[in-house]
Amino acid sequence: MDAFLLSNEELTNRLREVGERRYHDKHPYHIRMHDGKLSPEQLRAWVANRFYYQKNIPVKDALILSKLPSRDDRRKWIQRIIDHDGREGSEGGIEAWVRLGEACGIPRDEMLGEKHVLPAVRFAVDAYVNFCRLQPWPIAVASSLTELFAPTLVSKRIGVFLELYPWIKPEGLEYFRARLHQAPRDADHGLELVLRECKSRDDQEQAIAALSFKCDVLWALLDALSHAYPNKEVAT
Amino acid sequence: MDAFLLSNEELTNRLREVGERRYHDKHPYHIRMHDGKLSPEQLRAWVANRFYYQKNIPVKDALILSKLPSRDDRRKWIQRIIDHDGREGSEGGIEAWVRLGEACGIPRDEMLGEKHVLPAVRFAVDAYVNFCRLQPWPIAVASSLTELFAPTLVSKRIGVFLELYPWIKPEGLEYFRARLHQAPRDADHGLELVLRECKSRDDQEQAIAALSFKCDVLWALLDALSHAYPNKEVAT
């Protein structure tokens, strides 16, 4: 028994603290988005670049799936892939994101062709996929725990988009609506796995670091956007 | 355009020839199984060792899934994982294999504990999983094409088990029954992918070699069993 082992409550609190400090809702680009201050071009750039993250979610989830030793855990985890890829009669999150793009004025082929994806966004997302490919699976799972913080943010975002960006067609917001019930379920399962599998203080610290790394990925995406799509000062 | 490219029909024939020469139904241990000549100990050994192959099917399929670039292809491929891991209300192929074991007299915990799995079986199956992890995905898919040959063999096997091994409880044969409709669907999709993706003669030869490699994996499993569970000559 590791004398320095954190209790489940302590570890959960440490993970939540990572989000409080480093989740991407604190990034200036994101703050401006939720304040309704992004130009249409900046908002479209966010949607088009974030697509590269979205399309890689089932890839990293399949990598984690391939490492989960228990059939029960795989049966839960596979739902994430189905949520994003869709199944017969339900198109899934990637298609929903393409439709969000269309609602913002990004043609489908530009989105699918990754025409607007910045190199730094690609590097950050690829780093996330490779992290999930190469790390022990409980640590890879820990990196998914930004889902702990997502529902609050996403529910705000629906209101923000409806009220502050009325030029976005409201039917484009289905992706966010679906995440409201998917993300809490995913976060519960992810947290359960991390609490169950991280049985030394070292494991626990690695899990916390993994979540911090994932926050860096999301943050880097917004840094790249800030750099490529700076705010234009309106001359007065 | 590669002047030496095989037509779809030629490539399909070459793949089928691999099965005609090297599929495991030609192995002496398998021939004895289908002739009703295995002792209960030899048959149980086959079931218990083959379990290690069965349990790794969703692992190799998740690895392939993580590499499939198209959402449409992933939506088809994921069904393989669901077929083996099961979902709510349908227990899937791994559980069905455990029940086959029980019907043969192998206690569930001995099967799940991999108590009877021979080292050479582990090496062969792990080689298959690593092949799928490391090879380009169309080549990994090609290695799955033993499914082209499986339905004929499995439909024979159901009859063989019912008639020649009456000590096996017939309710244990559900795994084989399910494969009768799953394997042809999987083989169709796998072949479609290989024909679509292998666009040079070199790719095509690699696909053929991959299927040959996969036949070696199944063959090695039976070699290991032959060595560990030799036929006992009855003294007269």
Side-chain angles (χ1 to χ4, degrees):
Chain A
M1 178 65 192
D2 184 339
F4 300 100
L5 195 72
L6 301 172
S7 67
N8 282 351
E9 194 187 343
E10 286 167 331
L11 178 53
T12 306
N13 287 341
R14 288 280 308 277
L15 291 164
R16 290 197 177 279
E17 279 165 29
V18 172
E20 279 157 32
R21 280 202 321 279
R22 305 168 66 91
Y23 192 47
H24 64 165
D25 60 340
K26 282 95 188 158
H27 191 285
Y29 202 91
H30 201 290
I31 291 171
R32 285 177 54 82
M33 175 159 71
H34 276 219
D35 284 347
K37 292 182 182 161
L38 292 190
S39 68
E41 186 194 23
Q42 287 175 318
L43 192 78
R44 278 196 283 270
W46 178 77
V47 171
N49 275 274
R50 173 96 183 180
F51 176 68
Y52 189 70
Y53 173 78
Q54 298 300 140
K55 73 167 275 193
N56 275 290
I57 291 175
V59 174
K60 70 96 185 161
D61 281 325
L63 287 165
I64 293 174
L65 189 72
S66 77
K67 298 201 254 191
L68 287 174
S70 135
R71 192 167 65 95
D72 283 345
D73 289 329
R74 286 201 302 266
R75 281 166 67 152
K76 288 183 191 158
W77 199 268
I78 204 170
Q79 190 58 45
R80 296 168 180 250
I81 304 175
I82 294 167
D83 285 344
H84 281 85
D85 278 342
R87 301 199 76 188
E88 198 75 39
S90 156
E91 286 308 310
I94 295 178
E95 172 61 22
W97 198 271
V98 173
R99 292 180 190 172
L100 169 64
E102 290 179 316
C104 296
I106 305 167
R108 173 173 290 264
D109 59 338
E110 281 187 21
M111 185 84 104
L112 294 173
E114 299 167 22
K115 198 179 152 181
H116 305 283
V117 177
L118 297 162
V121 169
R122 215 175 275 278
F123 300 151
V125 172
D126 291 353
Y128 180 41
V129 172
N130 280 324
F131 186 91
C132 295
R133 190 192 314 275
L134 299 171
Q135 291 292 316
W137 67 263
I139 305 306
V141 168
S143 72
S144 76
L145 289 180
T146 43
E147 281 155 352
L148 288 168
F149 324 124
T152 311
L153 187 60
V154 166
S155 84
K156 278 188 210 155
R157 193 178 289 151
I158 293 172
V160 163
F161 274 38
L162 289 173
E163 285 172 40
L164 304 180
Y165 300 95
W167 54 272
I168 300 175
K169 298 196 185 86
E171 65 267 27
L173 305 183
E174 195 43 52
Y175 178 83
F176 300 127
R177 292 197 188 92
R179 291 307 294 164
L180 287 181
H181 68 90
Q182 291 166 353
R185 178 209 59 203
D186 291 350
D188 286 350
H189 183 224
L191 186 59
E192 176 197 326
L193 292 173
V194 168
L195 297 177
R196 192 183 80 200
E197 296 294 325
C198 294
K199 285 302 178 203
S200 71
R201 179 63 180 268
D202 186 51
D203 289 348
Q204 293 178 324
E205 294 295 339
Q206 280 188 58
I208 294 162
L211 181 53
S212 184
F213 159 82
K214 168 67 175 301
C215 289
D216 289 346
V217 168
L218 298 176
W219 197 274
L221 196 152
L222 297 177
D223 276 352
L225 285 167
S226 305
H227 194 73
Y229 298 90
N231 303 326
K232 284 175 186 144
E233 294 303 326
V234 180
T236 51
Chain B
M1 178 64 194
D2 184 339
F4 299 100
L5 195 71
L6 301 172
S7 67
N8 282 350
E9 191 185 345
E10 286 167 332
L11 177 53
T12 305
N13 287 341
R14 286 280 308 279
L15 291 165
R16 290 198 177 278
E17 279 166 29
V18 172
E20 279 158 31
R21 280 202 320 280
R22 304 170 66 90
Y23 191 47
H24 64 167
D25 61 339
K26 282 95 187 157
H27 192 286
Y29 202 92
H30 201 290
I31 292 171
R32 285 178 54 84
M33 175 160 69
H34 276 218
D35 284 348
K37 290 182 182 162
L38 292 190
S39 67
E41 186 194 22
Q42 288 176 317
L43 193 79
R44 277 195 284 269
W46 178 77
V47 171
N49 275 274
R50 173 97 184 180
F51 176 68
Y52 190 70
Y53 173 78
Q54 298 300 140
K55 73 167 275 193
N56 275 290
I57 291 176
V59 175
K60 69 96 184 162
D61 281 325
L63 288 165
I64 293 173
L65 189 71
S66 76
K67 298 201 253 192
L68 287 174
S70 136
R71 192 166 64 95
D72 283 346
D73 289 331
R74 285 201 303 265
R75 282 166 65 151
K76 287 183 190 158
W77 199 268
I78 203 170
Q79 189 58 45
R80 295 167 181 251
I81 303 176
I82 294 168
D83 285 344
H84 281 84
D85 278 341
R87 301 198 76 187
E88 199 75 37
S90 156
E91 286 308 310
I94 295 178
E95 172 62 22
W97 197 270
V98 174
R99 291 180 190 173
L100 169 65
E102 290 178 316
C104 294
I106 304 168
R108 172 173 290 263
D109 59 336
E110 281 187 22
M111 185 84 103
L112 293 174
E114 300 168 21
K115 196 178 154 182
H116 305 284
V117 177
L118 296 163
V121 168
R122 214 174 276 276
F123 299 151
V125 172
D126 290 352
Y128 179 41
V129 172
N130 280 324
F131 186 91
C132 294
R133 189 191 316 273
L134 300 170
Q135 290 291 316
W137 68 262
I139 305 306
V141 168
S143 72
S144 76
L145 289 179
T146 43
E147 281 156 352
L148 288 168
F149 324 123
T152 311
L153 186 60
V154 166
S155 86
K156 276 188 211 156
R157 194 178 289 152
I158 293 172
V160 162
F161 274 39
L162 289 172
E163 285 173 42
L164 304 180
Y165 300 95
W167 54 272
I168 300 176
K169 298 194 185 87
E171 66 267 26
L173 305 183
E174 195 43 51
Y175 178 83
F176 300 127
R177 290 194 190 95
R179 291 307 294 164
L180 287 181
H181 68 89
Q182 291 166 353
R185 178 208 60 203
D186 292 349
D188 285 350
H189 182 224
L191 186 59
E192 177 197 325
L193 291 174
V194 168
L195 296 178
R196 191 183 81 200
E197 297 295 325
C198 294
K199 284 302 179 202
S200 71
R201 179 61 181 267
D202 186 51
D203 290 348
Q204 294 179 324
E205 293 296 339
Q206 280 187 58
I208 295 162
L211 181 53
S212 184
F213 159 83
K214 168 67 175 299
C215 288
D216 288 346
V217 168
L218 298 175
W219 197 273
L221 196 154
L222 298 176
D223 277 351
L225 285 167
S226 305
H227 194 73
Y229 299 89
N231 303 326
K232 286 179 183 140
E233 295 302 328
V234 179
T236 52

